[in-house]
Amino acid sequence: MKTKFLGIAIIVSSAIFGLPALAADAESCAACHGKDGASTDAKVPIIGGMSAEYLKGAMAAYKAKERPCPEATYADGPKKGTKSDMCKIAGETSDADTAAISTALAGKKFVRAAGQKVDAALAAKGKDIHDKQCDKCHTEGGSVAGDDSGVLAGQYLGYLSAELKDFKDGKRPMPKKMQPKMEAVPAADLDALAHYYASFK
Ligand code: HEC
Ligand code: HEC
C-alpha cells in the first residue's frame, strides 16, 4: 500500500513540477514556429538556423517590449487555439531557457520558405538597393547567420514587409549604423527589398 501511494505521489508531483519546465522548452516554440524552427506557416517567421546571438537579442527586445508584438495563435500543442504574443512568451521564458533554446535553434538548418510567389522585377530592383545599402551587414543577400543580423534570404514575405515597415516607422529599434541606410530607402521601395529576400529558394 505504502509504495503504491508513494508512486502516485511521485507521479503527481512530477506532473506539477514538470509543467513550468515544459512551458519554456523548444516544444512550446515548435507549436507555432514548427519543428526545429522551420516554420511552414507564412504568418510565423522561420527561426531555426539563425545565430544564437541574434535569437537572444530578439527575445530580449520582445521581453523589454521594444519590438511590436502582433497577436499570434498557438497552431498546435496543448495550448492549440490560445492567443498569445512574443512579448508575453519572451517574458515567461527565463534567460537560461532562452539561451538553451537559442543555442539549440542555431544548430538547425534555416529552411527557406517554400512556394512563395515573388515579383521578379521587384526582386531585381530590391537586389540593387540591397547591394548598395544593406549587404555590408547582411552579406550574400542576408543569407549568412554568422552576421548576427538575422537571416533574410528565404524568410516569409509578409513578415519581411511588416518588419521593414516597422523599422521605417520607428516602431522597431535598429542598430545605429543601419538607420541611415534605411532612411536612404524610400518607403515605396521597401516592397522591392522584401521581394528580393523572399526570392531566395
Ligand atoms: C503563439 C505562437 C508563437 C509561439 C508559441 C512562439 N512564437 Fe516566436 N513568433 C511568433 C510570431 C507570430 C512572430 C512574429 C512576430 C513579429 O512580427 O515580430 C514570432 C517571432 C519570433 C522571433 C523573431 C524572429 C526574427 O527574425 O526576428 C523569435 C526569435 C521567436 N519568435 C522565438 C520564439 C521562441 C524562442 C519561442 C518559444 C519560447 C517562440 N518564439 C514561441 C509566434 C510564436
Ligand atoms: C550596420 C549594419 C547593418 C546595416 C547597414 C543594415 N542592417 Fe539590417 N540589421 C542589422 C542588425 C545588427 C540587425 C539585428 C537587429 C536586431 O536584433 O534588432 C538587423 C536586422 C534587420 C532586419 C530584421 C531581421 C529579422 O529577422 O527580423 C531586417 C529586415 C533588416 N535588418 C533589413 C535591412 C535592410 C533592408 C538594410 C538596408 C537598407 C539593412 N538592414 C542594413 C544590421 C544592419
Side-chain angles (χ1 to χ4, degrees), residues 23-26 28-33 43-47 50 54-55 58-59 62 67-75 82 84-86 89 93 101 105 150-151 155 159 162-163 172:
D25 71 8
S28 70
C29 315
C32 293
H33 288 278
K43 295 192 295 298
V44 183
I46 298 151
I47 54 172
M50 290 198 188
Y54 177 82
L55 293 168
M59 290 294 279
Y62 285 128
R67 263 182 84 162
C69 296
E71 191 177 80
T73 306
Y74 279 83
T82 312
S84 190
D85 64 59
M86 278 312 300
I89 290 164
T93 309
I101 294 168
L105 284 170
V151 174
Q155 183 59 276
Y159 172 77
E163 299 311 295
R172 176 176 169 186

Short mmCIF file of all heavy atoms in Angstrom, two decimals, residues 23-26 28-33 43-47 50 54-55 58-59 62 67-75 82 84-86 89 93 101 105 150-151 155 159 162-163 172, ligand 1:
data_model
loop_
_atom_site.label_atom_id
_atom_site.label_comp_id
_atom_site.label_asym_id
_atom_site.label_seq_id
_atom_site.Cartn_x
_atom_site.Cartn_y
_atom_site.Cartn_z
N ALA A 23 6.66 24.59 -20.22
CA ALA A 23 6.16 25.83 -20.81
C ALA A 23 7.26 26.59 -21.55
O ALA A 23 6.99 27.43 -22.37
CB ALA A 23 5.57 26.71 -19.72
N ALA A 24 8.51 26.31 -21.23
CA ALA A 24 9.59 27.11 -21.81
C ALA A 24 10.54 26.29 -22.68
O ALA A 24 11.58 26.77 -23.07
CB ALA A 24 10.37 27.79 -20.69
N ASP A 25 10.19 25.05 -22.99
CA ASP A 25 11.14 24.29 -23.81
C ASP A 25 10.85 24.50 -25.30
O ASP A 25 9.89 25.15 -25.69
CB ASP A 25 11.15 22.81 -23.41
CG ASP A 25 9.89 22.09 -23.80
OD1 ASP A 25 9.05 22.68 -24.51
OD2 ASP A 25 9.72 20.94 -23.38
N ALA A 26 11.73 23.97 -26.11
CA ALA A 26 11.64 24.18 -27.55
C ALA A 26 10.32 23.68 -28.14
O ALA A 26 9.85 24.20 -29.15
CB ALA A 26 12.82 23.50 -28.23
N SER A 28 7.36 24.12 -26.99
CA SER A 28 6.33 25.16 -26.94
C SER A 28 6.56 26.17 -28.07
O SER A 28 5.61 26.74 -28.59
CB SER A 28 6.30 25.85 -25.57
OG SER A 28 7.45 26.64 -25.39
N CYS A 29 7.79 26.38 -28.47
CA CYS A 29 8.09 27.27 -29.60
C CYS A 29 7.65 26.59 -30.90
O CYS A 29 7.13 27.23 -31.82
CB CYS A 29 9.58 27.59 -29.68
SG CYS A 29 10.34 28.02 -28.11
N ALA A 30 7.87 25.27 -30.95
CA ALA A 30 7.53 24.49 -32.15
C ALA A 30 6.05 24.54 -32.47
O ALA A 30 5.65 24.39 -33.62
CB ALA A 30 8.00 23.05 -31.99
N ALA A 31 5.22 24.78 -31.42
CA ALA A 31 3.77 24.84 -31.64
C ALA A 31 3.41 25.92 -32.66
O ALA A 31 2.39 25.83 -33.33
CB ALA A 31 3.06 25.11 -30.31
N CYS A 32 4.24 26.95 -32.78
CA CYS A 32 4.00 27.99 -33.78
C CYS A 32 5.10 28.03 -34.85
O CYS A 32 4.82 28.19 -36.02
CB CYS A 32 3.91 29.37 -33.13
SG CYS A 32 2.46 29.58 -32.08
N HIS A 33 6.36 27.91 -34.40
CA HIS A 33 7.49 28.06 -35.33
C HIS A 33 7.83 26.77 -36.07
O HIS A 33 8.77 26.76 -36.87
CB HIS A 33 8.73 28.56 -34.59
CG HIS A 33 8.63 30.01 -34.18
ND1 HIS A 33 8.89 31.05 -35.04
CD2 HIS A 33 8.27 30.58 -33.01
CE1 HIS A 33 8.72 32.20 -34.40
NE2 HIS A 33 8.34 31.95 -33.17
N LYS A 43 2.54 33.12 -41.52
CA LYS A 43 2.34 34.18 -40.53
C LYS A 43 3.42 34.16 -39.44
O LYS A 43 3.49 35.07 -38.63
CB LYS A 43 0.95 34.04 -39.86
CG LYS A 43 -0.22 34.24 -40.81
CD LYS A 43 -1.53 34.38 -40.07
CE LYS A 43 -1.99 33.12 -39.32
NZ LYS A 43 -2.24 31.93 -40.15
N VAL A 44 4.21 33.10 -39.41
CA VAL A 44 5.22 32.93 -38.35
C VAL A 44 6.61 32.82 -38.98
O VAL A 44 6.82 31.99 -39.86
CB VAL A 44 4.90 31.67 -37.51
CG1 VAL A 44 5.90 31.54 -36.35
CG2 VAL A 44 3.47 31.72 -36.97
N PRO A 45 7.56 33.66 -38.54
CA PRO A 45 8.89 33.62 -39.18
C PRO A 45 9.65 32.32 -38.91
O PRO A 45 9.47 31.68 -37.88
CB PRO A 45 9.63 34.82 -38.56
CG PRO A 45 8.91 35.11 -37.28
CD PRO A 45 7.48 34.70 -37.50
N ILE A 46 10.51 31.97 -39.85
CA ILE A 46 11.44 30.84 -39.72
C ILE A 46 12.55 31.32 -38.78
O ILE A 46 13.09 32.41 -38.97
CB ILE A 46 12.03 30.49 -41.11
CG1 ILE A 46 10.91 30.07 -42.07
CG2 ILE A 46 13.11 29.41 -41.00
CD1 ILE A 46 11.21 30.38 -43.53
N ILE A 47 12.86 30.55 -37.74
CA ILE A 47 13.91 30.99 -36.81
C ILE A 47 15.04 29.96 -36.65
O ILE A 47 16.09 30.30 -36.14
CB ILE A 47 13.33 31.36 -35.42
CG1 ILE A 47 12.50 30.21 -34.83
CG2 ILE A 47 12.49 32.63 -35.51
CD1 ILE A 47 12.05 30.44 -33.38
N MET A 50 19.18 30.59 -37.39
CA MET A 50 19.71 31.94 -37.13
C MET A 50 20.75 31.80 -36.02
O MET A 50 20.78 30.79 -35.33
CB MET A 50 18.59 32.88 -36.71
CG MET A 50 17.63 33.21 -37.84
SD MET A 50 16.67 34.69 -37.46
CE MET A 50 15.48 34.70 -38.79
N TYR A 54 21.72 36.45 -32.39
CA TYR A 54 20.55 37.16 -32.93
C TYR A 54 19.28 36.75 -32.19
O TYR A 54 18.48 37.60 -31.81
CB TYR A 54 20.38 36.90 -34.44
CG TYR A 54 19.13 37.58 -34.94
CD1 TYR A 54 19.13 38.94 -35.25
CD2 TYR A 54 17.92 36.91 -35.00
CE1 TYR A 54 17.96 39.59 -35.61
CE2 TYR A 54 16.74 37.55 -35.36
CZ TYR A 54 16.77 38.89 -35.67
OH TYR A 54 15.61 39.55 -36.02
N LEU A 55 19.10 35.44 -31.97
CA LEU A 55 17.88 34.94 -31.34
C LEU A 55 17.74 35.48 -29.92
O LEU A 55 16.66 35.91 -29.51
CB LEU A 55 17.86 33.41 -31.34
CG LEU A 55 17.74 32.76 -32.74
CD1 LEU A 55 18.02 31.27 -32.67
CD2 LEU A 55 16.35 33.00 -33.34
N ALA A 58 16.70 39.09 -30.08
CA ALA A 58 15.29 39.27 -30.44
C ALA A 58 14.40 38.99 -29.23
O ALA A 58 13.46 39.74 -28.95
CB ALA A 58 14.93 38.32 -31.60
N MET A 59 14.72 37.92 -28.49
CA MET A 59 13.93 37.58 -27.30
C MET A 59 14.02 38.69 -26.26
O MET A 59 13.03 39.04 -25.61
CB MET A 59 14.40 36.24 -26.71
CG MET A 59 14.06 35.03 -27.57
SD MET A 59 12.29 34.69 -27.72
CE MET A 59 12.00 33.80 -26.17
N TYR A 62 11.79 41.57 -27.30
CA TYR A 62 10.37 41.29 -27.02
C TYR A 62 10.10 41.40 -25.52
O TYR A 62 9.10 41.95 -25.09
CB TYR A 62 10.00 39.87 -27.48
CG TYR A 62 9.85 39.69 -28.99
CD1 TYR A 62 10.53 38.68 -29.65
CD2 TYR A 62 8.98 40.49 -29.73
CE1 TYR A 62 10.38 38.47 -31.02
CE2 TYR A 62 8.82 40.30 -31.10
CZ TYR A 62 9.52 39.29 -31.74
OH TYR A 62 9.35 39.09 -33.09
N ARG A 67 10.06 45.73 -29.26
CA ARG A 67 9.61 45.34 -30.59
C ARG A 67 8.10 45.19 -30.54
O ARG A 67 7.56 44.71 -29.55
CB ARG A 67 10.19 43.97 -30.96
CG ARG A 67 11.43 44.01 -31.81
CD ARG A 67 11.89 42.60 -32.16
NE ARG A 67 11.17 42.07 -33.32
CZ ARG A 67 11.60 41.03 -34.05
NH1 ARG A 67 12.72 40.42 -33.71
NH2 ARG A 67 10.92 40.62 -35.09
N PRO A 68 7.39 45.56 -31.64
CA PRO A 68 5.95 45.32 -31.66
C PRO A 68 5.66 43.82 -31.48
O PRO A 68 6.45 42.99 -31.93
CB PRO A 68 5.51 45.79 -33.05
CG PRO A 68 6.61 46.67 -33.53
CD PRO A 68 7.87 46.17 -32.88
N CYS A 69 4.53 43.50 -30.83
CA CYS A 69 4.18 42.11 -30.56
C CYS A 69 2.82 41.79 -31.14
O CYS A 69 1.83 41.79 -30.41
CB CYS A 69 4.16 41.86 -29.05
SG CYS A 69 5.76 42.07 -28.30
N PRO A 70 2.75 41.52 -32.43
CA PRO A 70 1.45 41.18 -33.02
C PRO A 70 0.89 39.90 -32.39
O PRO A 70 1.65 39.00 -32.03
CB PRO A 70 1.76 40.98 -34.50
CG PRO A 70 3.24 40.85 -34.62
CD PRO A 70 3.85 41.49 -33.42
N GLU A 71 -0.46 39.88 -32.24
CA GLU A 71 -1.11 38.72 -31.64
C GLU A 71 -0.88 37.47 -32.49
O GLU A 71 -0.87 37.55 -33.71
CB GLU A 71 -2.62 38.99 -31.54
CG GLU A 71 -3.36 37.98 -30.71
CD GLU A 71 -4.84 38.36 -30.58
OE1 GLU A 71 -5.61 38.09 -31.53
OE2 GLU A 71 -5.21 38.92 -29.53
N ALA A 72 -0.66 36.35 -31.80
CA ALA A 72 -0.44 35.08 -32.51
C ALA A 72 -1.24 33.99 -31.82
O ALA A 72 -1.48 34.06 -30.62
CB ALA A 72 1.04 34.73 -32.51
N THR A 73 -1.67 32.99 -32.58
CA THR A 73 -2.46 31.90 -32.02
C THR A 73 -1.67 30.60 -32.10
O THR A 73 -1.08 30.30 -33.14
CB THR A 73 -3.78 31.74 -32.83
OG1 THR A 73 -4.43 33.01 -32.85
CG2 THR A 73 -4.70 30.71 -32.20
N TYR A 74 -1.63 29.86 -30.98
CA TYR A 74 -0.97 28.54 -30.97
C TYR A 74 -1.62 27.67 -32.04
O TYR A 74 -2.83 27.47 -32.02
CB TYR A 74 -1.10 27.88 -29.61
CG TYR A 74 -0.10 28.37 -28.58
CD1 TYR A 74 -0.33 29.54 -27.86
CD2 TYR A 74 1.08 27.68 -28.35
CE1 TYR A 74 0.59 30.00 -26.92
CE2 TYR A 74 2.00 28.13 -27.42
CZ TYR A 74 1.75 29.29 -26.71
OH TYR A 74 2.67 29.74 -25.80
N ALA A 75 -0.83 27.17 -32.97
CA ALA A 75 -1.36 26.37 -34.06
C ALA A 75 -1.38 24.89 -33.71
O ALA A 75 -2.00 24.09 -34.40
CB ALA A 75 -0.53 26.59 -35.31
N THR A 82 -5.14 28.95 -28.39
CA THR A 82 -4.96 30.04 -27.43
C THR A 82 -4.20 31.19 -28.07
O THR A 82 -3.27 30.96 -28.84
CB THR A 82 -4.13 29.54 -26.21
OG1 THR A 82 -4.67 28.31 -25.77
CG2 THR A 82 -4.14 30.55 -25.07
N SER A 84 -1.68 34.47 -27.95
CA SER A 84 -0.56 34.99 -27.17
C SER A 84 0.20 35.98 -28.05
O SER A 84 -0.30 36.39 -29.10
CB SER A 84 0.35 33.84 -26.73
OG SER A 84 1.30 34.31 -25.79
N ASP A 85 1.37 36.38 -27.62
CA ASP A 85 2.25 37.18 -28.48
C ASP A 85 3.68 37.02 -27.98
O ASP A 85 3.90 36.52 -26.88
CB ASP A 85 1.82 38.66 -28.53
CG ASP A 85 1.93 39.35 -27.19
OD1 ASP A 85 3.05 39.40 -26.63
OD2 ASP A 85 0.91 39.84 -26.68
N MET A 86 4.65 37.44 -28.79
CA MET A 86 6.05 37.19 -28.45
C MET A 86 6.51 37.95 -27.21
O MET A 86 7.43 37.50 -26.53
CB MET A 86 6.96 37.50 -29.65
CG MET A 86 7.06 36.39 -30.69
SD MET A 86 7.39 34.72 -30.03
CE MET A 86 8.95 34.96 -29.22
N ILE A 89 5.39 35.69 -24.40
CA ILE A 89 6.17 34.45 -24.43
C ILE A 89 7.61 34.69 -23.96
O ILE A 89 8.12 33.96 -23.12
CB ILE A 89 6.12 33.82 -25.85
CG1 ILE A 89 4.70 33.29 -26.13
CG2 ILE A 89 7.15 32.70 -26.00
CD1 ILE A 89 4.39 33.01 -27.58
N THR A 93 9.71 33.27 -20.45
CA THR A 93 10.84 32.36 -20.65
C THR A 93 12.06 32.89 -19.91
O THR A 93 12.45 34.04 -20.12
CB THR A 93 11.14 32.23 -22.17
OG1 THR A 93 9.91 31.92 -22.85
CG2 THR A 93 12.12 31.11 -22.44
N ILE A 101 17.48 27.40 -25.66
CA ILE A 101 16.66 27.25 -26.87
C ILE A 101 17.37 27.91 -28.06
O ILE A 101 17.40 27.38 -29.17
CB ILE A 101 15.24 27.84 -26.66
CG1 ILE A 101 14.46 27.03 -25.62
CG2 ILE A 101 14.47 27.88 -27.98
CD1 ILE A 101 13.18 27.70 -25.13
N LEU A 105 18.39 26.10 -31.49
CA LEU A 105 17.87 26.54 -32.80
C LEU A 105 19.00 26.93 -33.75
O LEU A 105 18.92 26.70 -34.95
CB LEU A 105 16.92 27.74 -32.61
CG LEU A 105 15.52 27.42 -32.07
CD1 LEU A 105 14.78 28.71 -31.70
CD2 LEU A 105 14.69 26.63 -33.08
N GLY A 150 20.26 38.46 -38.24
CA GLY A 150 19.08 37.74 -38.72
C GLY A 150 19.36 37.13 -40.08
O GLY A 150 20.35 37.46 -40.72
N VAL A 151 18.49 36.23 -40.50
CA VAL A 151 18.59 35.66 -41.85
C VAL A 151 17.40 36.19 -42.63
O VAL A 151 16.25 36.03 -42.21
CB VAL A 151 18.59 34.11 -41.82
CG1 VAL A 151 18.54 33.56 -43.25
CG2 VAL A 151 19.83 33.59 -41.10
N GLN A 155 13.11 34.12 -46.06
CA GLN A 155 12.12 34.37 -44.98
C GLN A 155 10.75 34.67 -45.63
O GLN A 155 10.68 35.00 -46.82
CB GLN A 155 12.59 35.56 -44.12
CG GLN A 155 11.73 35.89 -42.92
CD GLN A 155 11.58 34.72 -41.94
OE1 GLN A 155 10.71 33.85 -42.14
NE2 GLN A 155 12.42 34.68 -40.91
N TYR A 159 6.18 38.67 -43.30
CA TYR A 159 6.98 39.03 -42.12
C TYR A 159 8.01 40.09 -42.49
O TYR A 159 8.16 41.09 -41.79
CB TYR A 159 7.65 37.78 -41.53
CG TYR A 159 8.63 38.12 -40.42
CD1 TYR A 159 8.18 38.45 -39.14
CD2 TYR A 159 10.00 38.14 -40.67
CE1 TYR A 159 9.08 38.79 -38.14
CE2 TYR A 159 10.91 38.48 -39.66
CZ TYR A 159 10.44 38.80 -38.41
OH TYR A 159 11.33 39.15 -37.41
N ALA A 162 6.43 43.50 -43.01
CA ALA A 162 5.99 44.09 -41.74
C ALA A 162 7.19 44.65 -40.97
O ALA A 162 7.12 45.77 -40.42
CB ALA A 162 5.25 43.05 -40.90
N GLU A 163 8.31 43.90 -40.93
CA GLU A 163 9.48 44.36 -40.18
C GLU A 163 10.10 45.60 -40.83
O GLU A 163 10.48 46.54 -40.14
CB GLU A 163 10.54 43.24 -40.07
CG GLU A 163 10.06 42.00 -39.34
CD GLU A 163 9.38 42.29 -38.01
OE1 GLU A 163 10.04 42.79 -37.09
OE2 GLU A 163 8.17 42.02 -37.89
N ARG A 172 10.27 49.59 -34.54
CA ARG A 172 11.21 48.56 -34.09
C ARG A 172 12.60 49.19 -34.08
O ARG A 172 13.02 49.76 -35.11
CB ARG A 172 11.17 47.34 -35.03
CG ARG A 172 12.20 46.29 -34.66
CD ARG A 172 12.11 45.02 -35.51
NE ARG A 172 13.29 44.20 -35.26
CZ ARG A 172 13.61 43.09 -35.89
NH1 ARG A 172 12.81 42.62 -36.82
NH2 ARG A 172 14.72 42.43 -35.58
C1 HEC B 1 1.67 31.58 -30.38
C2 HEC B 1 2.65 31.42 -31.46
C3 HEC B 1 4.12 31.55 -31.10
C4 HEC B 1 4.83 30.87 -30.14
C5 HEC B 1 4.32 29.83 -29.15
C6 HEC B 1 6.20 31.33 -30.23
N1 HEC B 1 6.32 32.26 -31.23
FE1 HEC B 1 8.01 33.29 -31.70
N2 HEC B 1 6.96 34.39 -33.06
C7 HEC B 1 5.62 34.24 -33.37
C8 HEC B 1 5.22 35.26 -34.33
C9 HEC B 1 3.85 35.45 -34.94
C10 HEC B 1 6.37 36.04 -34.58
C11 HEC B 1 6.49 37.30 -35.44
C12 HEC B 1 6.29 38.48 -34.51
C13 HEC B 1 6.66 39.80 -35.11
O1 HEC B 1 6.11 40.16 -36.14
O2 HEC B 1 7.54 40.49 -34.52
C14 HEC B 1 7.45 35.45 -33.78
C15 HEC B 1 8.75 35.94 -33.76
C16 HEC B 1 9.81 35.34 -33.09
C17 HEC B 1 11.20 35.74 -33.21
C18 HEC B 1 11.75 36.87 -34.06
C19 HEC B 1 12.28 36.34 -35.36
C20 HEC B 1 13.14 37.33 -36.08
O3 HEC B 1 13.52 37.04 -37.23
O4 HEC B 1 13.50 38.37 -35.52
C21 HEC B 1 11.92 34.91 -32.39
C22 HEC B 1 13.41 34.93 -32.16
C23 HEC B 1 10.98 33.99 -31.78
N3 HEC B 1 9.71 34.28 -32.23
C24 HEC B 1 11.34 32.99 -30.88
C25 HEC B 1 10.43 32.18 -30.22
C26 HEC B 1 10.80 31.24 -29.17
C27 HEC B 1 12.23 31.00 -28.69
C28 HEC B 1 9.65 30.65 -28.73
C29 HEC B 1 9.46 29.64 -27.63
C30 HEC B 1 9.98 30.02 -26.32
C31 HEC B 1 8.56 31.23 -29.53
N4 HEC B 1 9.08 32.15 -30.40
C32 HEC B 1 7.23 30.87 -29.40
C33 HEC B 1 4.77 33.27 -32.85
C34 HEC B 1 5.07 32.43 -31.79
#
